Amino acid sequence: MNLNGLNINEIFSPSILRYFPVISPVIFLMLLVNLVYMGMAAGTAFLSVIYHKRKPEMSKYLVSLVIPNNWVWIIFGMIPMFCLGLLYKMLLSAMQVSVHLFFIRLLGMMLIGFVFLAIYRRTHLVIAGVLGLLTFLGYAIHLTGVFSLLLYPEKWPFVQALVPDPLMTVNTVFEFFNFLCLSALLTGGIILFLGFHWGEKKLDEDVAYRNFLKVHAYVLLLGGSLALPVGILLDLFNIPGHALSIALFVQDGFSIVVLGITGYLSIYMMMDRESKTPRFGLLSFILALVITGLLTASLRVLETTANLETIRAGEMKAEKKMMKEISRREAIYSKSMKVDEKMGEQIFNERCTACHSFDKKVLGPPYNSVLPKYIDNQERLIAYILNPVKVDPQYPAMPSPGLSPIQVKSVVRFLMIKIGAKPLEEREEQKEKNEGGGGRD
Amino acid sequence: MINKNPVFKKLIPLAFVALTVGGVLLVAGMGFHWFFTGSKPVQPIAFSHNLHMEKVGLECSFCHPYTDRSSRAGLPAVGVCMDCHESVAVDKGEIKKLKHYWDKKEPIPWIKVHVQPWHVYYNHKRHIKVGFECTYCHGDVKVMDAVRKVRSLEMGWCVNCHRKNNASTDCLVCHK
């Protein structure tokens, strides 16, 4: 893809991959913030739309709980998604597919969803709320689809359409189900936390209203913590073999334990322990965050394991690019871009002596026996080193040393001087002189 | 809010403990099953493709010479390894294992990673001749130490690729 002559793959430089141990936690953090915020936004918007007519006050309260003003959704929703798009593009730069397009699409869907919800918060027009909610559901399906697709690098070459077929896999369905469960957990947690624990947002309404909201929060927590283990197990059952790892099983085991604790605590609190609700408000929110954190970590482990080779290839590409740049600069500063026997000797000592010697057979033949035939045809020797082929059946084929033409010419120059022959450059100079002299005669 | 019957109250924690333990045991069971059957196989010699391809610079065809000549890519004879390892890295543990097979005149019992069912006839030569890179089906082997299967190589995947490249999807192309 070109943007006014600029290659998009050059703009998203993979050189950052050298700092993979640093960017991996950044991706985790951005993903966590995004999942937590989007889960809460979708859950509260859903409840708000459901109770739009029956309990308008509660409906307004719920929508302003997660979207109190426009800055909050920009900071916790849009910015993390933008960063994720950039980071994934760099992380999977070796894949040569348009990963960034998926994230641009996600960013667009998120923007539309939040604009609808912002309108809904201000005007309380139910149609805006419904449209916002539907856009969020589309966003969640697309997001889980992208993450499912990341588990199957083999499917990327077939991704062509705007909403491609491989996006809808069995994994997508299970992960979308998990997102809904997480959303229920986080919504229950945030209602109990902001409504019953945190001073500023404490509800000063009558007891019936408080209880009504509280029951919903507990039901969401209980439902989420009972359904999510099923989703985790089904998802685990469908994950392709190459994406599995021990870390994933351990994390999923922990998630189930934390979900068990959350479920038990919510049913325990449902036994009408009004006095303990504020304390549980904080605890439930922390538990919901821990579960989201564990599942986000599982998602990261899955993607990294599935794309191990792609990431490593990107790292190597970045490393090579850097080495090339270093040697280019070194070459400019040391003016060693010309053929030089000293450079040839250095390369010879580093690269050739492992297999070759002048007077005896090592892995390759002794130079004293093979070099003389190249004295009058040094171009052939240069061509051979640049692209070696098997010549003598009693020796293994020489692997390509991966040297540049200047480096190969320098090695050949050194070898020729070493065996007492005239190097190619001097022979050519001599030839030119002779021809020049002939011309004057 | 809910039933406050004492028996019910006692049963709730038990039910949650049972559910949680059941869930964890299921995850552990899946983990053990995967670890002992599905994870990448442990080969008799820890041959590193990364070292030989990236650092030494060997091409795939150096060790798998029949990729463009036969339906099978071929595995290198122990002698091919010994060509170099008679004198290279002879003191390393893995090379001693190699030497052991060489001395006993036995082939190395490599564990096959890319296995196709008996009714699938995959032809390396045909795919290489039309210009496919080895990495397309085998993943970026150059960066792997131990090779693992990164493409499903299932029928859906093959058919998708055949369709995309206008190759025949007739049953007899792959199934005889």
Side-chain angles (χ1 to χ4, degrees):
Chain A
M1 183 182 171
N2 278 293
L3 291 174
N4 296 329
L6 285 169
N7 188 320
I8 200 105
N9 290 321
E10 290 298 317
I11 298 169
F12 294 100
S13 166
S15 54
I16 197 171
L17 283 176
R18 282 184 283 129
Y19 309 107
F20 183 71
V22 183
I23 65 165
S24 196
V26 176
I27 292 184
F28 168 76
L29 200 67
M30 293 292 143
L31 204 54
L32 180 64
V33 170
N34 185 267
L35 281 178
V36 167
Y37 191 70
M38 290 305 288
M40 291 188 314
T44 49
F46 175 72
L47 278 185
S48 175
V49 168
I50 292 284
Y51 288 106
H52 173 260
K53 264 195 179 170
R54 275 182 288 168
K55 299 216 178 256
E57 281 308 308
M58 188 175 110
S59 171
K60 279 178 189 168
Y61 169 75
L62 282 169
V63 76
S64 63
L65 201 64
V66 181
I67 314 171
N69 58 56
N70 289 341
W71 284 110
V72 175
W73 62 262
I74 292 173
I75 293 169
F76 292 104
M78 302 294 287
I79 293 176
M81 183 45 69
F82 179 74
C83 296
L84 279 175
L86 279 178
L87 289 167
Y88 271 105
K89 178 65 196 164
M90 289 173 195
L91 195 68
L92 303 174
S93 56
M95 212 184 248
Q96 296 298 326
V97 287
S98 308
V99 183
H100 56 286
L101 289 181
F102 286 89
F103 285 93
I104 291 171
R105 223 174 287 158
L106 281 169
L107 208 59
M109 288 169 97
M110 188 191 273
L111 178 69
I112 295 167
F114 275 121
V115 167
F116 276 130
L117 284 187
I119 295 170
Y120 176 62
R121 185 173 56 85
R122 282 196 167 211
T123 60
H124 216 58
L125 269 172
V126 72
I127 185 74
V130 172
L131 286 174
L133 193 62
L134 288 177
T135 320
F136 272 5
L137 288 181
Y139 164 87
I141 293 175
H142 203 84
L143 181 76
T144 47
V146 171
F147 282 104
S148 303
L149 208 51
L150 283 173
L151 306 185
Y152 296 93
E154 64 188 46
K155 288 188 179 166
W156 283 102
F158 307 112
V159 175
Q160 282 163 338
L162 192 67
V163 182
D165 300 343
L167 210 61
M168 284 307 296
T169 59
V170 184
N171 284 85
T172 311
V173 177
F174 291 144
E175 284 192 15
F176 178 63
F177 175 74
N178 287 355
F179 177 82
L180 294 183
C181 296
L182 261 186
S183 176
L185 272 169
L186 288 161
T187 309
I190 195 72
I191 291 174
L192 288 173
F193 176 59
L194 289 183
F196 297 88
H197 179 83
W198 209 13
E200 284 175 41
K201 285 274 179 183
K202 261 186 189 172
L203 290 167
D204 296 323
E205 310 295 329
D206 59 276
V207 176
Y209 175 72
R210 286 171 64 90
N211 276 343
F212 186 77
L213 197 61
K214 201 163 65 182
V215 170
H216 277 76
Y218 286 142
V219 168
L220 284 172
L221 271 175
L222 183 64
S225 41
L226 283 176
L228 195 50
V230 179
I232 291 174
L233 288 168
L234 287 174
D235 195 27
L236 206 55
F237 203 69
N238 271 283
I239 288 167
H242 69 268
L244 291 171
S245 61
I246 293 171
L248 178 77
F249 287 105
V250 173
Q251 277 165 349
D252 281 355
F254 267 116
S255 305
I256 289 176
V257 172
V258 182
L259 282 165
I261 295 168
T262 314
Y264 173 67
L265 282 176
S266 44
I267 208 161
Y268 180 77
M269 291 305 296
M270 281 166 95
M271 290 174 186
D272 214 356
R273 284 177 167 77
E274 175 68 24
S275 61
K276 287 184 183 171
T277 302
R279 208 184 303 162
F280 183 65
L282 175 66
L283 183 64
S284 63
F285 188 55
I286 292 173
L287 284 170
L289 286 183
V290 170
I291 294 162
T292 318
L294 280 166
L295 290 185
T296 313
S298 297
L299 205 61
R300 285 288 304 127
V301 167
L302 266 174
E303 290 158 29
T304 313
T305 319
N307 296 290
L308 213 59
E309 285 73 36
T310 308
I311 295 167
R312 214 169 152 198
E315 281 178 305
M316 282 181 174
K317 207 167 132 188
E319 198 74 25
K320 270 187 189 165
K321 209 172 168 183
M322 190 185 72
M323 296 307 289
K324 213 171 157 186
E325 183 60 21
I326 289 172
S327 53
R328 190 185 68 84
R329 286 183 188 183
E330 275 178 2
I332 289 169
Y333 290 117
S334 65
K335 293 182 180 172
S336 63
M337 287 302 276
K338 61 177 196 291
V339 179
D340 173 24
E341 64 267 29
K342 277 188 185 158
M343 177 164 75
E345 186 178 3
Q346 197 183 333
I347 295 167
F348 171 81
N349 288 331
E350 283 170 7
R351 307 292 300 273
C352 313
T353 46
C355 299
H356 291 285
S357 167
F358 278 90
D359 48 1
K360 59 176 191 268
K361 175 192 167 187
V362 187
L363 261 181
Y367 279 144
N368 289 343
S369 71
V370 287
L371 285 183
K373 67 178 174 196
Y374 291 111
I375 290 174
D376 293 328
N377 198 354
Q378 291 177 29
E379 288 93 342
R380 223 180 91 211
L381 180 58
I382 292 165
Y384 174 79
I385 299 174
L386 281 171
N387 192 13
V389 285
K390 193 169 174 110
V391 178
D392 192 339
Q394 48 172 315
Y395 295 103
M398 181 171 125
S400 170
L403 299 171
S404 70
I406 299 282
Q407 288 171 321
V408 173
K409 280 179 185 169
S410 301
V411 173
V412 171
R413 183 177 169 85
F414 163 74
L415 291 174
M416 289 300 152
I417 291 171
K418 190 87 177 162
I419 61 166
K422 204 178 253 185
L424 179 70
E425 294 73 26
E426 278 157 38
R427 291 168 80 91
E428 276 177 354
E429 223 170 82
Q430 184 71 42
K431 204 173 158 190
E432 267 173 34
K433 264 186 195 171
N434 291 345
E435 277 172 8
R440 274 198 301 272
D441 290 339
Chain B
M1 243 182 251
I2 59 164
N3 195 339
K4 289 179 187 173
N5 186 325
V7 181
F8 185 69
K9 268 185 173 179
K10 274 185 188 172
L11 278 176
I12 291 171
L14 282 176
F16 268 93
V17 170
L19 278 174
T20 310
V21 171
V24 172
L25 282 178
L26 261 172
V27 172
M30 281 185 195
F32 275 107
H33 179 260
W34 166 78
F35 188 75
F36 290 107
T37 59
S39 58
K40 64 187 170 197
V42 180
Q43 299 287 1
I45 294 175
F47 174 83
S48 167
H49 277 81
N50 178 244
L51 177 78
H52 288 82
M53 298 180 80
E54 194 66 30
K55 309 245 165 68
V56 183
L58 300 180
E59 291 296 326
C60 307
S61 54
F62 190 88
C63 298
H64 307 285
Y66 311 120
T67 42
D68 59 347
R69 277 179 271 160
S70 160
S71 63
R72 288 170 187 270
L75 278 172
V78 184
V80 174
C81 310
M82 288 307 290
D83 267 350
C84 296
H85 284 296
E86 219 159 14
S87 54
V88 174
V90 282
D91 53 334
K92 298 267 166 69
E94 297 306 303
I95 307 305
K96 282 178 186 162
K97 281 191 213 166
L98 175 73
K99 182 82 169 38
H100 172 76
Y101 287 110
W102 175 245
D103 291 340
K104 280 174 76 181
K105 298 284 170 222
E106 272 180 12
I108 305 163
W110 299 112
I111 299 165
K112 210 169 174 189
V113 180
H114 296 91
V115 189
Q116 288 289 11
W118 61 270
H119 55 271
V120 176
Y121 289 81
Y122 176 80
N123 194 319
H124 275 89
K125 183 173 98 175
R126 282 181 182 276
H127 291 84
I128 295 293
K129 288 271 184 203
V130 291
F132 278 100
E133 294 288 333
C134 308
T135 52
Y136 202 84
C137 301
H138 294 283
D140 215 341
V141 174
K142 199 157 68 171
V143 300
M144 299 181 196
D145 281 321
V147 168
R148 61 183 198 139
K149 191 176 163 187
V150 288
R151 307 280 184 263
S152 70
L153 306 185
E154 282 169 4
M155 191 168 144
W157 186 73
C158 299
V159 171
N160 252 341
C161 188
H162 272 229
R163 280 196 190 129
K164 192 187 163 202
N165 292 289
N166 294 325
S168 169
T169 48
D170 194 285
C171 309
L172 288 174
V173 169
C174 306
H175 305 289
K176 309 280 178 198

